[in-house]
Amino acid sequence: MAQGANRTTTQVVGVVVLAAAVTGFLAIAAVRHGFFDLKVYYGALTWWVHDGGEIYDYLKPGTQYGFTYPPFAALVMLPMAYLPWTAAIVVSVLASVVTTAVLIWWLVDPIARRAGWTRWFALVVALCLAAAFEPMRETVNFGQVNTLLLFLVAVDLLRLLPAGNRWAGVGIGLATAIKLTPGVFIVYLLVTGRWRAALTASGTAAGVSLLAAALFPDASREFWTEALWNTGRVGELAFVSNQSLRGVVARLDPEHPSTLLWLLLVLGTLALWAWRSRAAVAAGDEATGLALTGAVMCLVSPVTWVHHLVWLLPALILLVDNAMAAPAGRRRQVLLFAATIGYALLISRTVWLWEKDFTGVDGFLGSNAYVWVSLALLAFLPIRRWLTPNGSAVEASGVPQLDQPDRRAPTGQRHLVGRPLTVR
């Protein structure tokens, strides 16, 4: 009894110290963006609803930035136009915090259970570390929607799809209709042979987009024929915050970036992703499929600002998961070291050291540091085979698919079945 009380006291003290350290770190390292993107959304919606303007004609005063999301996103955000500015900030921050907390719980709680950690303590520590994560703090400070989209995709891939739920794909479809880039997860479903979920996702995205078109025909026409193709509205490709392959190529020659080189890099990256994603699904490792696809989305998207890299969070957590599942020894040490290095880079603002000058070898390596992390996670994040409850192995070779043992698991727990056998 006393030992348990002492452990709880130690954990509470540890959490308080960690929270204070993270708060101090944020006070020094976090850049205050004043909810810049949220101001763009809020201004565009106000202009559209109250001032009679077209939403895609709006530009934030003094900038070239306007509303760049599809019309369905405008429909989802429409209530914001009727809120005071302070209330819009509160809703944005709460949405980011709640969706992040749920996602982290889904990924961290299995580690805590297997490792024998106190579950609430593991969650709170993970949340504190997530608060220091540069993409996360940028998402909150800009007022972005990244964590909401990640949450919608995770609902499908970590809960509905493993349980064989017929609604699997709806979350991916909604995320795609809000912002086009999560459409890569529809491709993921196709590449890994989940035809029904892919059809559900595609049908959902198309259905809600048609609904938005019916409600806002002028805005929809302008988006799909003009605003979507106006790349000047999103910013400069060579800007150091663009941590995609396109950004890498643009920084090699900002005046004349090679489209051919970029396309070749994208094709090679997609081939690697398709191979590894199929292996992950064949092994029943849906969480790794989510992480790999999040990483490839960041890499192949023409524009991946630093705040978009919240999609790397599952991969970093899974590195820790794989480390704790491995026997004590060299492999565990290597995986924990990799997770630590990746996390340290992604809280450090390293790339900003080359914001003004990204020439030379040091500029090439340093200004693209987050791209190298994304590539490393895509190439080397372990894929686990699992032992089923009857002791048989789920093979990662892709033959057979062996869905049935996972379907015997409780709802939403397919990616947790049994104990890890090996990795590849």
Side-chain angles (χ1 to χ4, degrees):
M1 193 77 167
Q3 184 177 2
N6 289 336
R7 183 185 187 189
T8 300
T9 300
T10 301
Q11 290 173 337
V12 170
V13 171
V15 164
V16 171
V17 171
L18 177 61
V22 169
T23 301
F25 173 78
L26 293 177
I28 297 171
V31 176
R32 304 293 185 268
H33 299 291
F35 300 97
F36 182 94
D37 289 355
L38 189 64
K39 284 181 180 176
V40 173
Y41 311 151
Y42 190 82
L45 290 164
T46 300
W47 163 264
W48 187 36
V49 172
H50 300 297
D51 298 331
E54 282 294 342
I55 189 168
Y56 295 108
D57 292 340
Y58 174 85
L59 292 178
K60 187 178 183 298
T63 76
Q64 80 273 31
Y65 297 107
F67 195 85
T68 58
Y69 294 165
F72 179 67
L75 177 60
V76 172
M77 296 181 187
L78 193 58
M80 189 189 304
Y82 301 94
L83 294 177
W85 170 239
T86 301
I89 293 175
V90 171
V91 171
S92 173
V93 173
L94 282 177
S96 293
V97 171
V98 171
T99 52
T100 301
V102 174
L103 175 66
I104 288 178
W105 176 253
W106 287 345
L107 293 170
V108 169
D109 189 54
I111 311 175
R113 287 172 177 266
R114 289 196 300 269
W117 299 340
T118 304
R119 295 164 67 194
W120 71 263
F121 178 69
L123 174 64
V124 174
V125 168
L127 288 174
C128 287
L129 295 177
F133 190 56
E134 184 178 353
M136 187 64 66
R137 66 188 193 237
E138 292 279 286
T139 288
V140 174
N141 283 330
F142 272 114
Q144 265 283 344
V145 298
N146 304 308
T147 59
L148 173 61
L149 302 180
L150 177 53
F151 174 76
L152 287 172
V153 171
V155 168
D156 272 346
L157 297 187
L158 299 185
R159 313 316 268 187
L160 299 183
L161 193 61
N165 191 296
R166 63 176 180 166
W167 295 102
V170 170
I172 291 173
L174 291 174
T176 302
I178 292 172
K179 187 175 182 178
L180 299 179
T181 47
V184 70
F185 284 92
I186 299 178
V187 182
Y188 166 71
L189 294 173
L190 292 171
V191 165
T192 54
R194 272 76 68 81
W195 310 109
R196 177 172 178 170
L199 182 61
T200 299
S202 301
T204 299
V208 297
S209 296
L210 288 173
L211 172 63
L215 294 173
F216 317 123
D218 292 339
S220 296
R221 187 182 308 110
E222 184 170 358
F223 175 78
W224 295 109
T225 60
E226 295 182 30
L228 175 61
W229 314 104
N230 185 1
T231 57
R233 295 165 65 93
V234 299
E236 175 60 45
L237 291 176
F239 182 43
V240 75
S241 183
N242 185 14
Q243 291 293 302
S244 68
L245 293 173
R246 186 62 162 158
V248 173
V249 173
R251 283 186 285 277
L252 288 174
D253 185 358
E255 296 298 323
H256 305 286
S258 172
T259 299
L260 177 60
L261 175 59
W262 173 58
L263 290 175
L264 290 174
L265 290 173
V266 165
L267 287 175
T269 302
L270 287 174
L272 173 62
W273 162 75
W275 171 60
R276 301 211 73 220
S277 294
R278 287 175 61 84
V281 171
D285 194 354
E286 201 71 68
T288 296
L290 164 65
L292 294 174
T293 307
V296 83
M297 184 180 72
C298 294
L299 289 165
V300 304
S301 174
V303 175
T304 298
W305 302 134
V306 168
H307 56 77
H308 295 150
L309 296 175
V310 294
W311 291 91
L312 299 184
L313 191 60
L316 292 174
I317 294 174
L318 288 173
L319 274 179
V320 177
D321 192 350
N322 279 279
M324 299 311 300
R330 181 172 177 78
R331 181 174 185 81
R332 175 178 291 186
Q333 293 171 355
V334 168
L335 289 172
L336 287 175
F337 178 76
T340 302
I341 292 299
Y343 175 77
L345 280 173
L346 286 165
I347 70 171
S348 66
R349 289 186 57 83
T350 294
V351 297
W352 298 99
L353 296 174
W354 288 271
E355 180 181 3
K356 303 299 183 182
D357 181 9
F358 36 75
T359 58
V361 175
D362 65 312
F364 176 72
L365 296 175
S367 70
N368 301 308
Y370 300 168
V371 178
W372 311 141
V373 174
S374 298
L375 283 169
L377 290 170
L378 177 64
F380 301 113
L381 182 65
I383 295 172
R384 267 182 286 177
R385 296 183 294 174
W386 296 87
L387 283 180
T388 66
N390 63 11
S392 61
V394 178
E395 296 293 338
S397 62
V399 182
Q401 292 291 326
L402 291 177
D403 287 331
Q404 66 275 13
D406 293 334
R407 294 190 184 278
R408 291 198 290 268
T411 300
Q413 300 297 309
R414 179 176 171 187
H415 67 295
L416 311 180
V417 171
R419 60 181 177 82
L421 179 62
T422 59
V423 294
R424 58 179 294 184

